[in-house]
Amino acid sequence: SVRARARAGNSGGVLLDVDGKLVGMNTAIYSPTGTSAGIGFAIPVDALSAQVDSIIRTGRATRAILGISVLDGLQTRALGIPQGVLVLKVPPASEAAKAGLKGSERSPDGSVIIGDLIVECDGKRVKSEADLYKSLDTHEPGETVKVKVLRGLDSPSSADLDAASLSATGDPTADELASKATTLSVKLTSTDVGYL
């Protein structure tokens, strides 16, 4: 978010700091009054630089993705899972499916079977979708990344989460998570919007 005045219609415009240096690109403003007062949102310049390079090289903006859909972080936290990215769907025959990533599903009795919980990508800890995006943004489609997942969580209070030794605050340490995780090699793709 941005703490600076942004006018409606400025999406796609540059965001400069007080020294005139590019720090991002404006994307949206949330304004309860409909004026230029509110919360502005921008894409950071480091996320833009890879896309600019891609546009210059190929004429297109391409982004490396796992080719999966994930549950929104707030909804994941509501399930009692304090961090990580919960895999919601893995399209059949996708590179993610070939690598062995498993999505969430409904059992015949209607209960939810929790899919893989991504806790690390390419050696970087993943606490949220933002962490996963940041890690993937350093790669190109076609490259392979190592993804660590917690697998087989029957419910948010399952023995697997207990085995991860959640502290009283619900925040497991990176070492505890890593020791309970399965590592998969996933070839990155560049496909439909809406997939991560």
Side-chain angles (χ1 to χ4, degrees):
S1 67
V2 178
R3 293 185 62 189
R5 184 172 286 236
R7 299 196 182 277
N10 196 26
S11 292
V14 297
L15 179 63
L16 306 173
D17 67 11
V18 294
D19 297 321
K21 294 179 183 170
L22 178 67
V23 294
M25 179 180 73
N26 296 312
T27 57
I29 185 171
Y30 168 73
S31 174
T33 63
T35 66
S36 296
I39 301 171
F41 298 92
I43 299 171
V45 70
D46 57 341
L48 289 173
S49 61
Q51 296 305 311
V52 170
D53 290 342
S54 175
I55 292 169
I56 291 170
R57 278 192 330 273
T58 66
R60 300 177 41 193
T62 58
R63 185 176 219 176
I65 60 172
L66 291 171
I68 61 174
S69 60
V70 299
L71 188 63
D72 174 77
L74 290 175
Q75 293 174 320
T76 301
R77 306 307 165 252
L79 289 174
I81 300 171
Q83 59 186 296
V85 175
L86 184 61
V87 178
L88 194 56
K89 183 177 178 184
V90 179
S94 67
E95 293 294 336
K98 290 176 191 173
L101 273 171
K102 299 190 182 305
S104 301
E105 56 188 82
R106 288 229 180 249
S107 69
D109 69 4
S111 63
V112 175
I113 299 170
I114 304 289
D116 287 341
L117 182 69
I118 299 172
V119 296
E120 191 175 298
C121 181
D122 219 23
K124 298 177 184 97
R125 187 157 181 207
V126 173
K127 294 172 106 177
S128 67
E129 298 100 316
D131 293 336
L132 186 55
Y133 281 126
K134 193 172 187 178
S135 179
L136 294 175
D137 280 344
T138 64
H139 295 281
E140 297 286 331
E143 292 180 5
T144 299
V145 295
K146 300 269 187 206
V147 178
K148 283 191 178 181
V149 298
L150 287 176
R151 175 166 287 168
L153 305 176
D154 295 328
S155 69
S157 60
S158 73
D160 290 327
L161 276 177
D162 292 338
S165 300
L166 298 178
S167 66
T169 61
D171 186 17
T173 65
D175 290 341
E176 290 164 344
L177 281 175
S179 70
K180 302 297 177 187
T182 300
T183 302
L184 305 170
S185 294
V186 183
K187 185 176 179 182
L188 298 174
T189 60
S190 178
T191 58
D192 300 341
V193 174
Y195 287 102
L196 184 64

